[in-house]
């Protein structure tokens, strides 16, 4: 699967799919076509049983620098109905994309270099793990444009860094280095720029050769905890654990432990996605 603005690749032997933002001439700025394509590709990865892990990266010098400002400027002179239609589509497709990333029961990794700003930051925050280049920078970048955040950033950011820090980043539009983002808990790992691709691939392979179904269910539990009280979360853990005991992954993990060998989870097929 591919398009001009994004590239979708699947490494079948590893169970890893990759979505590459492919507008390097404009620093991978988000427009309607890109948002719609991302939503479709994320849904495709979520529904593909051969995909165990999804990776997001960007071509060129940035992960995603923000929205497509020249396109936005062009819309200022368009009729009001046309302008509203354009931005409604942009919001809806962007939100479909981040929803697919968050809801899929598969780990999603962002490999971030250069700038992740605006919707690019929202996408990063929607991923489960983030590996960043030591040259990466992170910024909300909405206030100076006279608009408000999107892409789920106002939901994810306070939960990651706390409400006071989130207010500082959103209202003062503070730009974070990779080291600062790591300290705040927005990224998991920072590495030299020359090693970003390899570090991201290694993380993806580690997950892909692990217990993919269990990892996906664990991801779901972690996000459910943001909505549940303690007793609700215990019930969800009970349900998920009991669902695992009849799985090939559980049998392989227990058998490998007893036999003192590494489990071969990659041989265990993932269940088909529910409709």
């Amino acid at each position: 699967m591919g398009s001009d603005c994004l590239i979708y690749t699947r490494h079948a032997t590893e169970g890893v799919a990759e979505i590459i933002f492919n507008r390097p001439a404009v620093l991978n700025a988000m427009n309607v076509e890109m948002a719609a394509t991302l939503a479709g590709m994320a849904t495709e990865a979520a529904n593909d049983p051969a995909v165990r892990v999804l990776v997001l990266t960007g071509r060129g010098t940035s992960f995603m620098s923000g929205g497509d400002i020249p396109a936005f400027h062009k819309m200022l002179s368009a009729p009001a109905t046309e302008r509203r239609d354009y931005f409604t589509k942009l919001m809806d497709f962007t939100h479909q994309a981040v929803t697919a990333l968050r809801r899929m029961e598969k780990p999603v990794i962002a490999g971030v270099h250069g700038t992740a700003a605006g919707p690019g930051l929202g996408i990063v925050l929607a991923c489960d793990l983030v590996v960043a280049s030591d040259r990466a920078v992170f910024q909300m970048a909405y206030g100076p444009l006279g608009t408000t955040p999107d892409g789920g950033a106002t939901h994810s950011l306070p939960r990651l860094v706390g409400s006071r820090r989130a207010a500082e980043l959103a209202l003062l539009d503070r730009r974070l280095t990779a080291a600062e983002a790591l300290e705040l808990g927005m990224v998991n790992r920072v590495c030299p720029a020359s090693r970003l691709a390899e570090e991201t691939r290694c993380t993806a392979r580690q997950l892909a050769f692990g217990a993919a179904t269990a990892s996906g269910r664990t991801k779901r539990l972690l996000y459910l905890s943001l909505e549940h009280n303690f007793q609700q979360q215990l019930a969800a853990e009970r349900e998920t654990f009991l669902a695992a005991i009849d799985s090939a992954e559980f049998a392989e993990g227990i058998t490998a432990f007893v036999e003192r060998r590494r489990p071969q989870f990659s041989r265990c097929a993932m269940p088909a996605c529910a409709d």
Side-chain angles (χ1 to χ4, degrees), residues 75-89:
M75 282 293 110
L76 292 179
S77 59
T81 54
E82 182 181 344
R83 182 166 61 250
R84 178 166 290 275
D85 180 64
Y86 176 89
F87 286 107
T88 297
K89 287 180 179 177

Side-chain angles (χ1 to χ4, degrees), residues 121 125 138 140 153-170 174 176 180-187 226:
L121 179 59
L125 296 174
F138 303 84
M140 292 287 273
T154 57
H155 183 274
S156 301
L157 194 62
R159 287 164 171 79
L160 282 172
V161 306
S163 59
R164 295 288 189 194
R165 292 282 191 163
E168 178 184 356
L169 296 175
R174 180 181 164 197
L176 296 176
E180 290 171 327
L182 178 65
E183 183 179 357
L184 288 175
M186 292 170 60
V187 306
L226 302 176

